[in-house]
Amino acid sequence: MDNSLPPADELVLVDRELAQLDARRSQLLARRAWLLQVLYAPMAPAAAMRPRPPVADSTPRSAQNVLLTLGGTLLTIAAVAFTLVSWGSMGIGGRAAVLFVVTSAALAAPVALLRRSLVSTAESVAALGLALMVLDAYALHRAALSETDGLGYAAVASAVLAGAWTAYGSALSRLRIPLPVAVVAGQLPLPLGVLAAGGGPTAFAWAALVTAAADGAVVLWARPASVRITAVTGAVVLGGWALLTGGWLSLASPWSGAPLLVAGAAVTLYVAWRTPALAVAASAVAGLAVVTAVGGLLRAAVPADWTVPVYVLCALVLASVWRLGATAAAPSVSAGSGTTTAGPRLPRGVRLGLAGAGAGVASLGVVWALPPVVAGLLGPMARTTGVWSGEHAGRVLTSFPATAALVLAVAVAAFAAVPRLWTRCAALVLAWGLLTALPVSLDLPYAATLALQLLTAAAALWVAVRPGPLTRGLRAAEAPAGPTSAGPVLTPPSAGGATPWAGWAPTGTGRQLSAVEPGTVLGWAAYAGGLASALSAVALALDVRGATFLVLGAVLGLLTGVAVLGTDAQRVVAACGAVLAGTGLVVAVAAAGGFEDHWTALALLLVPAATAAVGARTRPPAVALAVEITGAAVALPAFGLAVSRPAFLALALALGGVIAAATAVRPERRRFASWTAAALFLLATWVRLAAFEVTTPEAYTLPVTVPALVAGYLRRRRDAEASSWTAYGPGLAATLLPSLAAAWTDPEWVRPLALGVAALVVTLLGARFRLQALLVLGSVVLALDGLHELAPYVVQAVGALPRWLPPALAGLLLLAVGATYEQRLRDARRLRDRVARMR
């Protein structure tokens, strides 16, 4: 029996089996790839292979706290509503029963809850019990004691509640709420009692201070952090109120405010002594209170102008506690026994706070004394009268207390007594400020004011160049015992000599630290003050003609001395200032002689001439350069003064060129000075031509072109690789381009013809010697000049042609160019390459 299928059916069956095999093969290959990845991939921790549970939005503990807090709050609200709304509908027995049962249950429940370790639940129930006690006190007042004074009852009730909560919290020490709440209730009895008794601000401040002292005791002796934080907050609020009240009373009634301030200072200082973490802040507050108290008492006994000096003196005495404490801590040797004992020592934080308070008050006093300094320095510069009018500006700050000078003097003495660089600098600056403020504070006459300003400038400049005496006695800082691998090596400056100081500037790890000389710092501080005083003296001297000459001469001498004796940087600044002072003298002489502006301009040129001569003999080069630059800058206003007279302007420019040419003889100035001289001579020529009403552009451009081409030729002889654009481009452009612009507007034929010939010659020279600049500039100018000459005829011819002919010619041109585009492109490239190969 033959069971074979027909060929068509068998083919379908084979195709179906093959398709199933292909699908199974794909599945097996995918499974094989996964197995290889599992076998050969790095083994991950088992925990990472397991699926992670979803992250909870809240922890069980936080959810529990939220529920307990919400429950306690709702119960408290219910109790308040019951007390305020439903209380009146019950009899006295019912009221007592409800109060006793509910409050007792709320206070007793935490005991059982704590035994079962349900601390959070106990906290919530205890909070409800504390709130119920407040409601009980309120209900008791409404029901049985309604006729008593509300403030008095509140004071007694808060005291009772504070005691009860303290006992309750102490008995149940695992509860965190009762003790802080007891501290809060303890803030109320004394202030409320004073208000109930009708006490004024002073009695209330004393009550607040006593309460703050009690809070301080809690801070010192209580252990729970929440209790101490609550007590600190209460002490700051009530103690701050007491001290602020004492400060106000020290102004209105010093004998009432002083005891309050002193008592507050004593309490605060004791807390600072016992609590190192609060020592600096607390002792600073105590120091401010003492200064306010003592200063208020002394202020009442002196005139009003002495108010600030009194406070400054008290502050300086307080600031001296720092040094007294350090002295008391020094060891002493017992006579005959050889043993060492240490005197009583204030904690460092306490000393720092007290000294900081005194220094802060003294600094405020110094700031109060600064307006006369500013007026003395800047007043002469705010000119309200004419120069050399003989009149003087009105005095400013006439009502300001003269004791400002005393404050500055005391501050100078205080800073000078401390052997530190910064204090010595402060003393120097304040001494300068004192001398500057004296004319304003003492209302000195004009001559005395001017003399004092000159003396101040002279003294400050002398200190600037000779600061050695001011550096004596400065302490050297203590250096580490030796270098460490983790930090830089410190090498202190020598202890001997006049400049022992420990200001080191790091130059790198493991290397030595370079010392900053105190003489340098003090010198620059004095230098700045000296220059400021000199400038103010010059401004003040402009009131009188003779004073102007005297002060300018004195300033010139002082700055010249600093330029000779000072350090390098000081010499540079002083030299520039001396040049400006000399310029002022020249202007003053010209003004005194009645010179017109153009003659004054010529006189001012004496300054750059003198500086050029002095600069040639001055060393170091930095000073010489500064002197010459300042002198050259003076020439600019000289040229400006001569603008109104072109002939004098040309003369001034020529004289400036002579000075620059003489300076160019020196090798180090040759390049810049020579270009400057050429520019000035050229400007002088142009101004002279303009004065002669010469309008031909070639008269202005050829004096530029000829020397420029000569310079370019010499440059090409020294450097054959130099570009023709650098050597000849500027010179050729200076004449060809202005002449081309003039030729296009010139109706005559002479200039276009001459320009065309010149451009043709330049083009031929460029082609002969293969110079790109000559070839390009000459051909462009020649083409434009020729186009200008052909333009009228082209216009005439175009006008005679039919209107259709120009477009047709343009079309034919475009067709011709398009047909030979590739050839024209190759020709343009070859031309570009040839021109590019030129120099």
Side-chain angles (χ1 to χ4, degrees):
M1 181 177 178
D2 187 9
N3 295 326
S4 59
L5 297 174
D9 295 338
E10 188 176 359
L11 179 61
V12 172
L13 181 61
V14 170
D15 290 338
R16 185 181 297 115
E17 293 291 336
L18 289 175
Q20 293 177 356
L21 290 175
D22 290 337
R24 181 60 178 170
R25 176 182 174 82
S26 300
Q27 294 176 359
L28 294 175
L29 289 175
R31 181 65 178 176
R32 181 178 182 274
W34 181 85
L35 292 174
L36 290 175
Q37 182 180 4
V38 171
L39 288 175
Y40 295 101
M43 295 300 295
M49 302 293 293
R50 293 195 299 267
R52 296 181 180 180
V55 178
D57 292 336
S58 62
T59 63
R61 176 67 64 182
S62 62
Q64 178 190 19
N65 292 336
V66 170
L67 293 176
L68 292 175
T69 303
L70 181 59
T73 303
L74 293 177
L75 288 176
T76 304
I77 294 174
V80 172
F82 171 77
T83 304
L84 297 179
V85 177
S86 302
W87 182 258
S89 61
M90 299 180 65
I92 187 62
R95 299 173 187 177
V98 170
L99 284 174
F100 179 77
V101 172
V102 175
T103 304
S104 299
L107 294 177
V111 178
L113 294 172
L114 289 175
R115 291 176 181 174
R116 297 176 178 271
S117 299
L118 301 176
V119 180
S120 298
T121 307
E123 292 279 2
S124 300
V125 177
L128 175 61
L130 301 181
L132 288 175
M133 291 182 71
V134 177
L135 295 176
D136 290 345
Y138 168 76
L140 180 62
H141 180 265
R142 290 291 304 272
L145 303 174
S146 58
E147 297 181 358
T148 60
D149 179 62
L151 288 176
Y153 178 81
V156 174
S158 59
V160 172
L161 290 175
W165 290 342
T166 302
Y168 185 75
S170 301
L172 302 178
S173 58
R174 297 178 63 184
L175 296 178
R176 294 173 296 177
I177 294 178
L179 290 179
V181 174
V183 174
V184 173
Q187 313 301 309
L188 302 177
L190 288 180
L192 292 179
V194 170
L195 293 178
T202 303
F204 185 84
W206 276 105
L209 181 59
V210 172
T211 305
D215 291 331
V218 172
V219 172
L220 294 177
W221 292 307
R223 289 186 178 181
S226 58
V227 175
R228 300 178 66 181
I229 293 174
T230 307
V232 166
T233 305
V236 170
V237 173
L238 294 179
W241 179 268
L243 292 178
L244 290 176
T245 304
W248 172 72
L249 290 174
S250 70
L251 299 176
S253 178
W255 289 102
S256 298
L260 181 62
L261 290 171
V262 172
V267 172
T268 310
L269 193 60
Y270 181 77
V271 173
W273 192 298
R274 293 292 304 273
T275 311
L278 303 176
V280 177
S283 58
V285 173
L288 293 175
V290 171
V291 171
T292 305
V294 178
L297 293 176
L298 295 178
R299 180 188 57 82
V302 297
D305 290 352
W306 288 83
T307 299
V308 175
V310 161
Y311 283 103
V312 170
L313 289 175
C314 295
L316 292 176
V317 171
L318 182 64
S320 66
V321 171
W322 175 263
R323 299 191 64 189
L324 292 176
T327 303
S332 60
V333 180
S334 300
S337 62
T339 60
T340 59
T341 59
R345 178 183 176 86
L346 286 174
R348 179 181 176 84
V350 175
R351 289 192 293 124
L352 182 60
L354 293 176
V361 174
S363 300
L364 292 177
V366 171
V367 172
W368 170 83
L370 289 181
V373 180
V374 177
L377 180 65
L378 301 181
M381 301 179 188
R383 176 159 298 281
T384 58
T385 59
V387 176
W388 292 357
S389 63
E391 299 178 356
H392 309 301
R395 293 288 185 179
V396 295
L397 298 178
T398 54
S399 61
F400 203 87
T403 52
L406 177 61
V407 171
L408 293 174
V410 172
V412 170
F415 279 118
V418 180
R420 291 289 185 273
L421 178 61
W422 70 272
T423 56
R424 199 64 56 86
C425 288
L428 178 62
V429 173
L430 291 178
W432 169 84
L434 173 61
L435 295 176
T436 305
L438 281 179
V440 177
S441 297
L442 303 181
D443 197 14
L444 297 179
Y446 175 79
T449 300
L450 192 59
L452 185 57
Q453 284 188 336
L454 282 178
L455 289 176
T456 303
L461 293 176
W462 174 255
V463 171
V465 297
R466 292 293 184 267
L470 294 183
T471 63
R472 294 172 184 171
L474 294 181
R475 295 181 182 176
E478 297 178 359
T484 61
S485 59
V489 179
L490 301 181
T491 301
S494 174
T499 60
W501 181 63
W504 296 307
T507 59
T509 302
R511 288 174 290 178
Q512 291 185 354
L513 299 181
S514 59
V516 178
E517 291 293 335
T520 302
V521 179
L522 292 170
W524 277 105
Y527 194 43
L531 293 178
S533 294
L535 183 61
S536 180
V538 170
L540 183 61
L542 294 178
D543 291 351
V544 180
R545 177 183 300 183
T548 301
F549 286 99
L550 175 63
V551 172
L552 285 174
V555 171
L556 176 60
L558 290 174
L559 295 179
T560 302
V562 175
V564 174
L565 302 175
T567 60
D568 290 341
Q570 290 177 352
R571 295 179 68 182
V572 170
V573 178
C576 297
V579 173
L580 295 178
T583 303
L585 279 175
V586 172
V587 174
V589 170
F595 291 0
E596 297 183 9
D597 289 346
H598 52 277
W599 289 110
T600 302
L602 297 181
L604 280 177
L605 292 178
L606 295 175
V607 176
T611 55
V614 172
R617 297 173 175 82
T618 302
R619 295 296 180 272
V623 178
L625 180 62
V627 168
E628 292 179 61
I629 290 177
T630 307
V634 173
L636 297 179
F639 299 150
L641 289 174
V643 168
S644 60
R645 301 288 293 271
F648 278 89
L649 177 59
L651 178 60
L653 291 170
L655 292 176
V658 171
I659 297 172
T663 306
V665 176
R666 295 159 53 190
E668 70 275 12
R669 302 283 188 266
R670 181 169 297 140
R671 183 168 184 175
F672 180 78
S674 60
W675 283 103
T676 303
L680 290 175
F681 283 135
L682 179 63
L683 290 174
T685 303
W686 285 354
V687 171
R688 178 61 65 180
L689 290 174
F692 290 157
E693 298 182 354
V694 175
T695 58
T696 303
E698 289 76 13
Y700 296 88
T701 58
L702 287 177
V704 179
T705 297
V706 174
L709 293 178
V710 172
Y713 175 74
L714 297 177
R715 170 72 183 278
R716 291 272 296 179
R717 287 189 61 184
R718 293 194 305 269
D719 183 11
E721 298 297 326
S723 172
S724 62
W725 287 101
T726 303
Y728 304 117
L732 291 174
T735 292
L736 292 178
L737 297 182
S739 297
L740 178 63
W744 273 75
T745 59
D746 191 350
E748 302 296 332
W749 59 273
V750 177
R751 178 179 281 109
L753 178 61
L755 178 61
V757 172
L760 178 61
V761 172
V762 170
T763 303
L764 294 176
L765 290 175
R768 170 66 180 80
F769 295 102
R770 301 178 60 80
L771 298 176
Q772 187 181 106
L774 277 68
L775 180 62
V776 173
L777 285 174
S779 60
V780 170
V781 172
L782 181 61
L784 293 177
D785 185 65
L787 179 63
H788 169 263
E789 294 302 310
L790 293 177
Y793 303 103
V794 172
V795 172
Q796 183 178 2
V798 170
L801 294 175
R803 293 190 175 184
W804 57 266
L805 187 58
L809 294 176
L812 292 175
L813 178 62
L814 292 176
L815 288 176
V817 172
T820 60
Y821 175 77
E822 295 293 336
Q823 181 63 35
R824 301 286 80 76
L825 187 60
R826 286 193 294 269
D827 294 342
R829 288 173 178 172
R830 284 196 294 269
L831 178 61
R832 183 196 63 186
D833 294 338
R834 290 177 182 175
V835 174
R837 285 194 294 269
M838 296 182 178
R839 287 290 176 186

